[in-house]
Amino acid sequence: MATVHLRIGDLVWGKLGRYPPWPGKVVSPPKDLKKPRGKKCHFVKFFGTEDHAWIKVEQLKPYHPHKEEMIKINKGKRFQQAVDAVEDFLKKKEKQGGKEQSSEGKGDSKGKKTPTKPLKILEEDDEDLSALKDPSEKDLTDSEPSSVERLGGLGTTGPVSGFKWESSDTRSTSIQAADSTAINGSITPTDKRIGFLGLGLMGSGIVSNLLKMGHVVTVWNRTVEKCDLFIQEGARLGRTPAEVVSMCDITFSCVSDPKAARDLVLGPSGVLQGIRPGKCYVEMSTVDPETITELSQVISSRGGRFLEAPVAGSQQVSNEGMLVILAAGDRTVYEDCSSCFQAMGKTSFFLGEVGNAARMMLILNMVQGSFMATIAEGLTLAQATGQSQHTFLDILSQGQMASTFVDQKCQNILQGNFKPDYYLKHIQKDLRLAISMGDTANHPTPMAAAANEVYKRAKALDQSDNDMSAVYRAYIH
């Protein structure tokens, strides 16, 4: 069986997650971006976008041998634009004398800066980022690409990674975030007018994806300057929450905590003043069941239709359009939100009556918060006992607990990078609410209670507005 040899500059088809194969080129990553541990992968720049991503070697096919196959199975305007971009690239390269390496292995005739053999990525410290296909794996030419684990990527405008790359110490939401399933034309945006209240870490990514999918969106944020980017990309501006609700058929909100959620609805010029019979209100904030029940009742009292839909994920996941949405309440509202949920998430669950989604979300965040505190505890214990933290992470990444979450959070800790992806103060809030929910159900939550104390210690050390991984600092001060 022939081994697929790929090198820097090769043109490829890359398969990332649930996205269809997309044309790209193997490139060198930024110098300060480490490759994933234990992964045979290439760093790929996707055509027709500004996206980059680490792609497993088994999810890559050479461009030319599979061009006709891919064009037959993929449709959509953006896909065709990407293919056209490849062809333009090839024409320019031909005019320049074909000096750049192509996907068939034809290198620079002069041999300048072009590797003469496949590069490896097996060791963490290797600078070379190309890899060989494992000969024991099924030949890619004989199989359809399977799903691939998200390894981490960069970019701003394309259908794949959905994060904005600026530098190693800054990352912000791009209005042109992940296109989710829309890249193959499978999302038809609803003709209903959409409102969105709250443009924080999560809300910004959600609105970006709604706009990219063609939804008509009116936005409001307490700090109005945050609306500017979205207005530039076609969103409309609402002056108050009440105005947004009155202008829109479905209004989503995503704010920080129960008090903020109540104030948004019940406060001056709040949502309740704009609610009319038939208007839909979707609460996406992570709050307690009691708050959700109260909001549902007051919205319904004005003839409105209510759905709770908290989301599992982080800023990065929100930007990628890969959130998990937990919904409960009015089933018809859930159905009306179908295209919106497809734009912002990879899947959604309908959990029945109001309050169920809030309960499930708190349980999930309780587990995640407790797990993060335990990982931080392990890293500090390794250091205290003379063990290498890097080796601890290497071992962890090869075991049953290996995940992108663990790798990214541990890397952030080791690099001292606590730029928020999910605020520490918010995970502590969720732990507190989960513990209270356990008290109400007369169910013990000792692990969550212990983790909560560690996060409270981190907050006392001024880590509230850092990422949840900054809980690490509670162990070293």
Side-chain angles (χ1 to χ4, degrees), residues 180-334:
S180 190
T181 54
I183 57 173
N184 59 13
S186 62
I187 292 180
T188 301
T190 179
D191 58 2
K192 296 183 182 298
R193 294 164 297 178
I194 304 300
F196 205 96
L197 311 175
L199 299 173
L201 293 185
M202 304 296 283
S204 293
I206 291 172
V207 172
S208 296
N209 285 304
L210 288 172
L211 289 170
K212 287 297 294 178
M213 298 305 100
H215 295 85
V216 177
V217 185
T218 300
V219 296
W220 174 90
N221 191 72
R222 184 175 57 183
T223 306
V224 70
E225 288 76 15
K226 286 190 175 182
C227 298
D228 292 345
L229 176 62
F230 303 98
I231 302 305
Q232 293 171 15
E233 295 297 326
R236 302 171 182 179
L237 178 65
R239 292 174 296 180
T240 66
E243 182 177 87
V244 173
V245 172
S246 65
M247 293 169 59
C248 299
D249 302 303
I250 303 172
T251 300
F252 296 86
S253 71
C254 188
V255 292
S256 58
D257 56 33
K259 182 181 184 304
R262 285 193 182 95
D263 290 346
L264 195 61
V265 173
L266 304 173
S269 300
V271 168
L272 198 58
Q273 295 184 26
I275 289 292
R276 301 289 183 273
K279 295 284 187 181
C280 301
Y281 189 64
V282 182
E283 181 58 79
M284 305 193 80
S285 312
T286 300
V287 299
D288 55 280
E290 292 75 20
T291 296
I292 279 294
T293 299
E294 177 186 356
L295 297 181
S296 174
Q297 290 173 348
V298 296
I299 295 296
S300 298
S301 71
R302 298 290 181 88
R305 300 158 59 201
F306 183 85
L307 184 76
E308 59 167 329
V311 292
S314 61
Q315 180 190 27
Q316 175 181 312
V317 174
S318 176
N319 292 349
E320 293 172 333
M322 297 291 281
L323 293 166
V324 175
I325 301 154
L326 310 181
D330 190 323
R331 181 64 185 251
T332 62
V333 179
Y334 175 71

Side-chain angles (χ1 to χ4, degrees), residues 371-393 396 409-410 413-414 418 454 457-458 461 469-477:
F371 182 54
M372 183 70 253
T374 300
I375 292 296
E377 189 171 294
L379 280 168
T380 53
L381 182 59
Q383 185 178 47
T385 56
Q387 305 305 303
S388 166
Q389 292 180 320
H390 289 278
T391 301
F392 169 74
L393 177 55
L396 194 64
K409 295 304 182 186
C410 288
I413 289 172
L414 295 180
F418 298 106
V454 183
R457 166 67 175 161
L461 295 169
S469 55
V471 69
Y472 174 84
R473 288 179 169 166
Y475 291 97
I476 60 175
H477 289 84

